[in-house]
Amino acid sequence: MAPPQKPDQEVTAAFTAYYLQRATTEFAEDLDKVRAADDFKNDALQILVSALQQGTAMFTPEEQKRIVTSAARPAGKP
Amino acid sequence: MGKRFSRGPDGAAASRKRQKVVHEAPTSEEIHASRQLQQLLAFSQDPVRARHGLQSFKLFLDELLSPASNDADRPRILRDYLQFARPADDDENAVYLPDLMQAWSYAGQTNNDNVMSAVPVVLALLLKLLSQSLDTVPYGLGICRTLLQKRQQELIARNLSADKGKAFIISPTLRMLKEAVSFDGGAIARPMFRARASMLKSLARNMGIVHIGDEAEDTKRPSARTNAILFFLSALKFLHPEAKKELLSQRDIVSALTRDVKQDPPYLVRELLEGLRSHVLLDDKLQREAKASLLNASTLTRLSALYQYRLDTAAAEGVPSIADVAHEFLLTACTNPACGVLRQDSGFYPREIDPNAAVPTTELEELGLEAITWTNKFKTEVPVRNYTLSNFLPNLRPWSSLKQSELITSIFKVAPELVASYFLTNKSFTFEPKLSATWIGYAAFLFNTVTLPIPDYFCRATAFPELPPPTSIVIDNILPLPLNQKALSRSLANKSNMISFFATRILVVAIEKLDAAIKMHQDPSHSNRTAWAEAARRLVDEFCQRSPGIKEMINSYRSIPGGDVLHREAASRLLRLCYEVLPQVALMAKFDVSPFLETSLGRLSKQELDDPRDFALSLKELENLLAIAGYSPGMRWFAALEALSLSPFTLLLKVCVDAPHGVALETIREVLNFVAVEQQLVPADNKHPGLIALLEALQSLRQSHPDSVTQLWPFLDNCLTRCSNTPVKYVEKLQETIQEAAETAGQGFSTAVASPVAMAMLEQLPFVAAKEREQATLKALGRFLPKFLGFSATAGESRPLLSLIFSKMVIHLADSKGKLAKAGVPEGLEIKHSPWPLTPEAPARKAKASSAARQEGGNSEPGMDAETLTNTLHMPDGLEADNSALVKWSSKTVDELVDEGYLTSLIALLVSEHASIRKEALVNILKAAAKIKQSEYEEKEQVWLLLSELAETARDKVNDGPLPSTIASFACHALHVLRDPLSSLYSKVNNFLTRGPFWTLDRLPLVDEVLLEEPVVGDAYYAQVNWLLEYLMDGLRTQHDLELFHKKRARGPVFERILALAANPYMRLPLRTQVLRLLYRATGIEGGSTTLTTRFGIVNWLEARQAGCTDDSEEAAVYGGLRRRVWETCDQDRVRVWSKGALGDGTDGTSKN
């Protein structure tokens, strides 16, 4: 069965959300340190989020689709 | 010192002191009738009375203007009065409101500030009121025209240029002018502008009279500046383009307009930006120059200060903040060419240079890029056309504001010339890693800069110019200056994972951009191909100097925690890109991908990742690693490391079978199939569908009996490993079975096909059956094998042959009731799980296409044209003489001597044509050896030994002629090995050096050792072969060298062995190409091609190689092209005679058969 199709915009949004979630998990410790830094003010949070999600540009739309449309595993998992 | 006295006896000093201005509030009365109004406003020399009248009128007008006003009498009273005050003759000199004008004039004469202020106050209100109704417009126009009369003009000028402290005079006058200029849709704007000497008097100064105080300016009491700006904006709105142009050319006004914009109240800033945007920026009729005179660097800089605007009150929802409005304004101003700031540039070609300049071909050939005068000129400064933007950009702070970062990158996008110059002039901000918001902001900005596209054809035109762009500018766009080797290396190695992640991502996009730039340099449409090719080489060199070494990238990848799939994916992608774009650099690192691949496979096969998206991302990492494995020659697919029970190949198969539903696996399947064909697990036949049957059987079994699949892996791994280790054995077994089938069933088996791996399973089955504790496996096999053979039949293998194999298998399977034997190989199985990219038709189509391509090239075989062949196979002379090496080395340190090539240049001089140079070189080599021996250099003993042995070898020969190139080349390449004790050749070179004090001149050192002996390190064989081919390449330059290559030796001439080497089916394209380069080099030596043809049958060899290229038409074309070159450069008569006419029949030397 083919994986469910999602429109492009939805795919991008879903992928960006996933990317951010992964990044915040992987760099949780570093992010805490940045938040505690002296220069963390004004736009800083916005910059941080935008900087993290920039990386989505490295994935082609097809790659993004491949990742976000990976459905749950079949029941017969060993 | 005397006492100071006052100057005059009559107290005149008192007048010198500033008199305290006391504003006495004027009296007023309510107006009920037109007649009363006439009396009130009738001219009086009594200032109190005059003020009383004016103040009453003001209050009357205020009431009328108030939205709550509903008194029906008042408009009538006003109209009656206006009718009364209207002049009899409505001509140009007619004076409306003569009493008011006279009062104003008289106030001017008597310096009555209060009245001078009160008259414009009422006039402003009156004009505002009159503009609201069509009936009253004629009165208003009359008043406006009255204001344009000489007397009034003088009064206006006088009011406007009142003392700075008298804002109460200046402000109402400006308000009045604003009403006048916009009255009736700007009806008198034109004549007002003609009277600009009075109307715009002191405008710039008045714009500087700002509100003073800590709190924000009161909207009801606007400052003179606010009024001045509103008047200016109204003028802009209603003036015609020519007048606007002149207005904007008044530098003092333009400058004053934005000088204090930071302190202006929010509503004024909004009006200012909106006004300038509508009436200047987006006014199509206004000339670009006029816009440019407003939008100079200092205006832009002042407006950019609004990014930090502090007076913005919490705006209502949906209303953009001042910072947003300013951002939009600046974006439009700086990126829309119609706004007058942005100028068309030529991309990576700086101002002042002509990219199509004619450079004589001979000079280009001789000097390369150095023949272009400007090629190295822009390393420290880049002249630009967009000087306004270039001056403006340094004032922005992209690291602390998202919008400013966006503004700069948007400008870079439309004016690519600015990138290099921006970073050259802003060197103060470094990329030194630090876990702070600023560093992250800067990294994000740099990432965006690197991802900007390369301008079309480098110059934003429609075709490539004649000459390549300056390399320094291209590299500054790929890795901007702050991204230097030191900063990037430190970021990669930083203990904070996030910092190394950011650096990795920047490098990924940078290499992708480099790749695009290289491809543009290699475009076939270039006319000066050599120059472009040299520029591409320089670009790669420059990149390598700025980028961290691959070892640092590998170390960074190694240090990433296992669960960080996002980071691992990025780091593996970076390595993969290095292999793809910079293979020469990547291969030098001797990176063994196997452990990484195994870790990744292990993690995936253990299914540690709960989120299927994480699994898919890890699969991307695996794909990257597989790609790297494809590029590195030493990958061992069938050797399990201690940590893992299965071989990498089987693990990959397992990952593929166990992958969550919906994950795309095409790439992995392609790799599996490629390896399976290469290792002869399945027939290397285009019609054979490869591994599909095995995969399909496993997936089908996994659905019905998941536990059985788990049981199968060790057995499968064993069979696959055996099959790959001794493929011939199983191919032979298969032949025997085919023979047997043919004997029992008769004909029809000559073309029967089955996979050798099936034979391996058949062979191993009895061993499983024999073991008591393997019964579960046996049961699983009972389920798997019929499926596997059934799918093999569906996939196109011979059913009778498979049935025969199955009948032999069934004996060992747990089939007590004979069910399996009865069922036989199941029929009609459908392949559902593996939508295989290589369906049986696909390769056939591909083969057809490539044969069609062959047909297309006329009747001849595919062959590269001479130029492309040269580009592909020509290598520069590695031993090119540089006589200056004789003197250069002496001033260098030992490290520089060895590492930076001074020593190799010296060694290369031993092959010089001139005896004197050779002698000099010999003496200098001995001196250098002595210097090294006395130094602290770590490998000094070995290097000294190498140089001494070389000198000893050359000593007697130096007078007779050049040393064989092979010897000099060997010495140079051996030196590289000695520098690096981790080199896999280190022990071989050292063994060679300790063997004797001098070398035999006509032998080629280390050839046997590399080709025949096992490498000390497991997978270093191909790396060593690569080294050998490089050294042989540099050692083949003259006829004498050629003799050494074809001289008979115990194990055959060197050429013969090299040709045999290329036939190794496991050797990858880069090494095969090295062999072809060596052959190409030989064809360039006199007699080379003839020798290759008559002694080594090179033509047939090339034909056979070409025929073997079933799926790579480009490689086939290289063989074809090389064959043509052999024919063109050989002694054709002799070859014809030698081949008894078999060669040279056609023009390209194709053999007849």
Side-chain angles (χ1 to χ4, degrees):
Chain A
M1 194 183 75
Q5 295 291 313
K6 290 189 183 187
D8 290 353
Q9 268 184 334
E10 228 176 280
V11 167
T12 314
F15 183 76
T16 308
Y18 166 67
Y19 192 95
L20 267 182
Q21 174 221 320
R22 266 281 10 137
T24 40
T25 316
E26 289 183 20
F27 309 116
E29 209 177 300
D30 291 337
L31 287 172
D32 284 343
K33 283 184 198 157
V34 175
R35 273 196 283 260
D38 297 340
D39 60 353
F40 196 85
K41 50 196 171 190
N42 304 331
D43 272 3
L45 185 67
Q46 218 185 343
I47 289 175
L48 193 58
V49 172
S50 138
L52 282 177
Q53 72 184 31
Q54 261 178 342
T56 54
M58 286 167 25
F59 292 81
T60 62
E62 288 74 39
E63 287 173 335
Q64 301 195 359
K65 201 169 192 171
R66 253 179 67 175
I67 290 171
V68 291
T69 50
S70 301
R73 261 172 242 184
K77 180 190 158 191
Chain B
M1 195 174 177
K3 193 178 176 182
R4 248 191 276 178
F5 294 100
S6 58
R7 288 192 185 172
D10 55 349
S15 67
R16 292 178 57 80
K17 282 189 184 169
R18 183 179 289 177
Q19 283 180 338
K20 197 174 179 186
V21 183
V22 181
H23 292 285
E24 280 176 23
T27 54
S28 64
E29 65 182 67
E30 202 165 329
I31 296 167
H32 300 289
S34 156
R35 180 110 189 117
Q36 182 193 3
L37 188 57
Q38 286 171 28
Q39 285 166 352
L40 280 170
L41 294 179
F43 173 65
S44 159
Q45 289 194 347
D46 175 6
V48 179
R49 211 179 135 209
R51 282 187 76 197
H52 175 83
L54 286 167
Q55 179 66 11
S56 306
F57 190 35
K58 176 186 175 287
L59 294 176
F60 176 76
L61 291 171
D62 276 341
E63 274 295 316
L64 268 173
L65 278 166
S66 141
S69 155
N70 54 2
D71 187 342
D73 281 347
R74 285 177 202 254
R76 190 184 45 78
I77 297 170
L78 180 67
R79 204 168 305 125
D80 288 350
Y81 171 70
L82 289 171
Q83 193 58 34
F84 161 77
R86 187 179 184 161
D89 304 324
D90 200 358
D91 62 10
E92 266 191 26
N93 298 321
V95 177
Y96 274 70
L97 307 178
D99 289 329
L100 277 181
M101 300 303 163
Q102 202 180 354
W104 190 3
S105 174
Y106 182 72
Q109 286 163 20
T110 56
N111 291 329
N112 187 333
D113 290 346
N114 290 326
V115 177
M116 279 171 76
S117 159
V119 176
V121 167
V122 291
L123 286 178
L125 290 172
L126 189 60
L127 285 175
K128 192 172 177 183
L129 187 67
L130 296 180
S131 71
Q132 289 177 355
S133 162
L134 214 56
D135 302 342
T136 53
V137 163
Y139 300 113
L141 281 175
I143 296 169
C144 290
R145 275 197 291 273
T146 307
L147 291 176
L148 282 167
Q149 290 165 6
K150 191 165 175 267
R151 194 167 139 215
Q152 274 66 248
Q153 276 195 35
E154 284 167 4
L155 289 168
I156 290 172
R158 185 171 167 176
N159 271 18
L160 289 176
S161 52
D163 275 355
K164 266 177 94 176
K166 294 183 179 171
F168 69 98
I169 299 178
I170 300 167
S171 282
T173 316
L174 288 166
R175 275 207 301 278
M176 177 188 76
L177 291 175
K178 175 187 168 246
E179 294 301 334
V181 79
S182 50
F183 196 82
D184 192 20
I188 62 148
R190 192 183 284 258
M192 269 184 86
F193 187 72
R194 273 202 296 274
R196 57 186 171 277
S198 324
M199 302 295 173
L200 303 182
K201 183 98 179 166
S202 305
L203 185 62
R205 191 223 43 191
N206 291 340
M207 282 180 176
I209 306 176
V210 295
H211 163 76
I212 295 168
D214 294 336
E215 72 285 3
E217 183 177 306
D218 184 356
T219 45
K220 286 183 187 152
R221 299 173 59 84
S223 63
R225 170 177 168 77
T226 304
N227 285 311
I229 285 176
L230 293 175
F231 166 51
F232 176 81
L233 291 175
S234 297
L236 276 185
K237 187 172 174 185
F238 295 106
L239 284 177
H240 55 97
E242 278 307 310
K244 255 199 253 192
K245 184 182 167 192
E246 192 164 339
L247 181 59
L248 292 171
S249 69
Q250 309 285 318
R251 285 196 187 171
D252 53 343
I253 296 180
V254 165
S255 166
L257 189 66
T258 50
R259 190 182 300 134
D260 299 302
V261 72
K262 266 195 307 194
Q263 274 98 36
D264 284 337
Y267 78 92
L268 182 66
V269 178
R270 280 175 210 277
E271 282 207 27
L272 175 68
L273 292 176
E274 185 44 45
L276 293 180
R277 186 185 166 84
S278 316
H279 308 306
V280 180
L281 260 57
L282 303 180
D283 183 352
D284 296 338
K285 290 182 188 134
L286 189 62
Q287 289 178 0
R288 289 183 79 242
E289 294 73 37
K291 300 179 184 182
S293 51
L294 167 72
L295 299 169
N296 54 37
S298 93
T299 305
L300 294 174
T301 306
R302 287 170 186 165
L303 292 179
S304 74
L306 294 174
Y307 280 117
Q308 287 99 32
Y309 185 74
R310 291 176 198 288
L311 302 171
D312 207 359
T313 45
E317 207 169 301
V319 177
S321 68
I322 294 286
D324 286 338
V325 179
H327 180 57
E328 281 305 312
F329 181 91
L330 287 170
L331 267 183
T332 312
C334 299
T335 61
N336 182 344
C339 293
V341 179
L342 180 66
R343 287 152 180 256
Q344 175 74 24
D345 66 12
S346 329
F348 290 175
Y349 294 88
R351 182 169 62 90
E352 293 172 0
I353 67 164
D354 177 10
N356 289 312
V359 179
T361 326
T362 44
E363 273 187 36
L364 266 182
E365 275 168 13
E366 263 178 43
L367 302 169
L369 287 180
E370 299 299 327
I372 308 169
T373 46
W374 41 261
T375 194
N376 293 320
K377 201 176 155 192
F378 306 107
K379 290 184 176 170
T380 49
E381 198 183 355
V382 183
V384 293
R385 289 184 176 84
N386 283 291
Y387 53 84
T388 306
L389 290 173
S390 161
N391 288 335
F392 164 55
L393 291 183
N395 297 298
L396 295 171
R397 298 159 56 85
W399 49 88
S400 66
S401 152
L402 215 51
K403 292 195 194 85
Q404 295 187 47
S405 172
E406 188 195 332
L407 177 63
I408 301 193
T409 41
S410 305
I411 292 173
F412 283 166
K413 203 170 186 174
V414 290
E417 63 163 7
L418 290 174
V419 179
S421 92
Y422 175 82
F423 289 105
L424 274 170
T425 45
N426 293 282
K427 284 187 179 156
S428 55
F429 214 85
T430 71
F431 190 63
E432 200 57 28
K434 189 183 172 203
L435 200 52
S436 67
T438 309
W439 187 86
I440 289 170
Y442 200 45
F445 165 61
L446 289 169
F447 181 94
N448 283 335
T449 308
V450 177
T451 43
L452 290 172
I454 299 173
D456 292 344
Y457 302 98
F458 290 123
C459 59
R460 317 182 75 196
T462 48
F464 283 110
E466 292 284 310
L467 303 171
T471 308
S472 63
I473 292 186
V474 184
I475 193 70
D476 279 352
N477 276 271
I478 294 173
L479 275 181
L481 276 175
L483 298 172
N484 57 36
Q485 196 171 41
K486 188 178 157 209
L488 280 169
S489 301
R490 290 174 67 140
S491 304
L492 277 184
N494 200 283
K495 63 179 190 299
S496 151
N497 282 326
M498 191 159 72
I499 287 182
S500 97
F501 179 62
F502 274 87
T504 306
R505 291 194 320 191
I506 290 178
L507 282 167
V508 166
V509 286
I511 297 189
E512 281 171 350
K513 195 169 184 180
L514 173 73
D515 190 30
I518 293 175
K519 289 204 173 102
M520 286 168 77
H521 276 84
Q522 290 166 342
D523 193 274
S525 68
H526 293 310
S527 43
N528 286 318
R529 282 204 204 171
T530 22
W532 282 87
E534 191 187 337
R537 278 196 299 277
R538 283 190 181 196
L539 184 61
V540 172
D541 288 349
E542 287 281 327
F543 185 89
C544 293
Q545 295 201 349
R546 275 197 202 176
S547 146
I550 187 155
K551 280 186 183 158
E552 278 137 324
M553 299 179 194
I554 294 168
N555 287 338
S556 165
Y557 179 45
R558 196 172 281 144
S559 67
I560 304 170
D564 290 4
V565 285
L566 197 64
H567 195 176
R568 294 189 74 87
E569 196 281 330
S572 61
R573 184 189 292 240
L574 176 61
L575 290 176
R576 174 189 181 158
L577 281 168
C578 281
Y579 275 87
E580 285 173 355
V581 182
L582 303 162
Q584 63 278 47
V585 183
L587 286 169
M588 261 170 58
K590 298 188 268 309
F591 170 47
D592 181 10
V593 73
S594 327
F596 293 98
L597 197 54
E598 277 149 19
T599 322
S600 166
L601 280 169
R603 205 172 33 249
L604 280 166
S605 62
K606 279 183 212 150
Q607 311 223 338
E608 286 169 351
L609 303 156
D610 291 329
D611 189 335
R613 294 173 300 180
D614 292 349
F615 187 90
L617 199 58
S618 294
L619 218 53
K620 278 291 303 168
E621 182 197 355
L622 179 64
E623 278 178 30
N624 293 333
L625 292 173
L626 287 172
I628 299 170
Y631 294 113
S632 51
M635 179 62 205
R636 285 168 297 162
W637 283 106
F638 289 93
L641 284 194
E642 307 100 48
L644 298 163
S645 51
L646 302 175
S647 67
F649 183 84
T650 314
L651 274 177
L652 195 60
L653 198 64
K654 187 168 181 297
V655 166
C656 209
V657 172
D658 289 345
H661 182 63
V663 170
L665 297 160
E666 283 77 19
T667 321
I668 312 263
R669 287 199 194 121
E670 272 170 37
V671 171
L672 277 172
N673 211 44
F674 176 77
V675 178
V677 171
E678 199 186 56
Q679 303 280 346
Q680 299 188 30
L681 304 177
V682 292
D685 182 346
N686 278 336
K687 287 179 189 150
H688 193 275
L691 272 188
I692 188 169
L694 181 62
L695 262 169
E696 188 67 28
L698 285 167
Q699 271 166 330
S700 162
L701 186 64
R702 189 174 183 280
Q703 279 210 325
S704 54
H705 300 91
D707 297 341
S708 298
V709 178
T710 324
Q711 294 288 344
L712 278 178
W713 292 118
F715 173 79
L716 273 182
D717 191 43
N718 180 27
C719 294
L720 291 166
T721 310
R722 280 173 187 276
C723 195
S724 80
N725 286 343
T726 49
V728 179
K729 177 178 160 189
Y730 296 101
V731 171
E732 279 174 2
K733 276 185 184 263
L734 189 63
Q735 291 303 330
E736 284 166 19
T737 317
I738 292 174
Q739 194 74 34
E740 192 187 327
E743 279 166 16
T744 49
Q747 313 142 338
F749 282 88
S750 56
T751 55
V753 189
S755 303
V757 72
M759 298 311 296
M761 290 181 194
L762 176 60
E763 184 205 52
Q764 291 303 310
L765 193 57
F767 300 104
V768 178
K771 284 182 195 161
E772 275 296 313
R773 55 195 164 85
E774 294 278 8
Q775 290 315 305
T777 310
L778 201 60
K779 202 173 160 192
L781 281 169
R783 292 187 179 120
F784 165 72
L785 289 173
K787 275 185 196 287
F788 171 52
L789 297 179
F791 281 117
S792 297
T794 310
E797 294 192 359
S798 160
R799 182 171 285 280
L801 185 59
L802 292 170
S803 296
L804 180 62
I805 295 172
F806 186 62
S807 65
K808 292 180 180 209
M809 285 176 168
V810 104
I811 308 166
H812 305 288
L813 294 170
D815 186 25
S816 53
K817 293 177 190 163
K819 269 192 197 165
L820 285 174
K822 201 176 165 192
V825 176
E827 285 186 32
L829 291 181
E830 260 182 66
I831 292 174
K832 298 180 208 157
H833 298 88
S834 319
W836 197 255
L838 292 170
T839 51
E841 295 84 34
R845 261 205 309 276
K846 203 170 172 187
K848 245 187 220 167
S850 74
S851 72
R854 274 181 219 186
Q855 297 288 329
E856 260 173 39
N859 290 327
S860 62
E861 299 284 316
M864 256 178 197
D865 61 82
E867 197 174 349
T868 323
L869 188 74
T870 311
N871 286 343
T872 318
L873 298 184
H874 176 74
M875 295 295 278
D877 183 0
L879 297 179
E880 201 170 16
D882 171 16
N883 294 347
S884 64
L886 289 173
V887 283
K888 273 188 192 162
W889 74 271
S890 55
S891 60
K892 303 293 171 189
T893 65
V894 172
D895 284 310
E896 286 171 329
L897 275 186
V898 181
D899 294 340
E900 288 179 20
Y902 292 99
L903 218 45
T904 47
S905 303
L906 208 51
I907 294 172
L909 289 178
L910 289 175
V911 300
S912 166
E913 290 290 312
H914 312 285
S916 57
I917 300 273
R918 293 196 299 272
K919 281 187 209 164
E920 278 283 321
L922 185 61
V923 173
N924 279 296
I925 286 173
L926 284 167
K927 280 187 192 166
K931 179 173 177 178
I932 290 168
K933 196 169 189 195
Q934 284 159 12
S935 74
E936 295 298 312
Y937 189 70
E938 270 187 58
E939 312 296 330
K940 61 177 180 176
E941 294 291 343
Q942 287 99 316
V943 175
W944 171 80
L945 190 62
L946 175 80
L947 294 179
S948 306
E949 286 184 17
L950 174 69
E952 203 57 38
T953 310
R955 193 189 298 276
D956 297 337
K957 184 80 168 78
V958 77
N959 284 324
D960 306 344
L963 202 66
S965 309
T966 45
I967 295 292
S969 168
F970 167 74
C972 293
H973 287 267
L975 188 66
H976 286 298
V977 173
L978 292 180
R979 275 168 53 195
D980 174 16
L982 292 175
S983 163
S984 60
L985 279 153
Y986 191 72
S987 61
K988 281 184 181 164
V989 169
N990 276 308
N991 280 340
F992 176 80
L993 291 180
T994 47
R995 223 177 275 162
F998 59 88
W999 312 332
T1000 317
L1001 282 176
D1002 62 352
R1003 291 188 62 176
L1004 274 56
L1006 285 195
V1007 172
D1008 286 341
E1009 286 84 343
V1010 170
L1011 291 181
L1012 295 179
E1013 288 173 17
E1014 281 265 316
V1016 184
V1017 188
D1019 58 349
Y1021 176 72
Y1022 293 101
Q1024 296 191 356
V1025 169
N1026 188 35
W1027 176 86
L1028 178 71
L1029 289 173
E1030 277 174 8
Y1031 126 57
L1032 291 181
M1033 168 80 72
D1034 287 340
L1036 180 56
R1037 301 167 62 251
T1038 63
Q1039 271 181 292
H1040 179 66
D1041 302 330
L1042 191 70
E1043 281 170 27
L1044 296 177
F1045 273 74
H1046 70 71
K1047 190 177 176 184
K1048 279 189 182 167
R1049 295 171 196 278
R1051 292 193 175 88
V1054 174
F1055 262 139
E1056 198 171 288
R1057 300 175 69 185
I1058 299 291
L1059 293 180
L1061 183 70
N1064 173 352
Y1066 302 114
M1067 204 159 94
R1068 296 280 160 84
L1069 184 62
L1071 283 181
R1072 289 204 295 274
T1073 310
Q1074 281 286 68
V1075 172
L1076 295 183
R1077 287 190 177 131
L1078 190 68
L1079 293 177
Y1080 182 85
R1081 174 68 69 83
T1083 61
I1085 299 170
E1086 202 183 333
S1089 295
T1090 314
T1091 308
L1092 281 173
T1093 313
T1094 56
R1095 296 277 297 274
F1096 303 102
I1098 194 72
V1099 175
N1100 285 349
W1101 185 85
L1102 287 168
E1103 273 179 6
R1105 298 294 311 157
Q1106 189 174 17
C1109 299
T1110 47
D1111 54 351
D1112 188 347
S1113 58
E1114 199 174 323
E1115 196 185 349
V1118 179
Y1119 287 119
L1122 190 55
R1123 206 178 57 222
R1124 188 178 301 135
R1125 179 171 165 92
V1126 168
W1127 172 249
E1128 283 165 4
T1129 49
C1130 72
D1131 180 349
Q1132 298 180 352
D1133 293 336
R1134 203 180 134 200
V1135 169
R1136 243 186 231 115
V1137 173
W1138 169 81
S1139 67
K1140 300 200 173 76
L1143 286 182
D1145 185 34
T1147 51
D1148 61 347
T1150 332
S1151 66
K1152 272 180 178 174
N1153 35 2

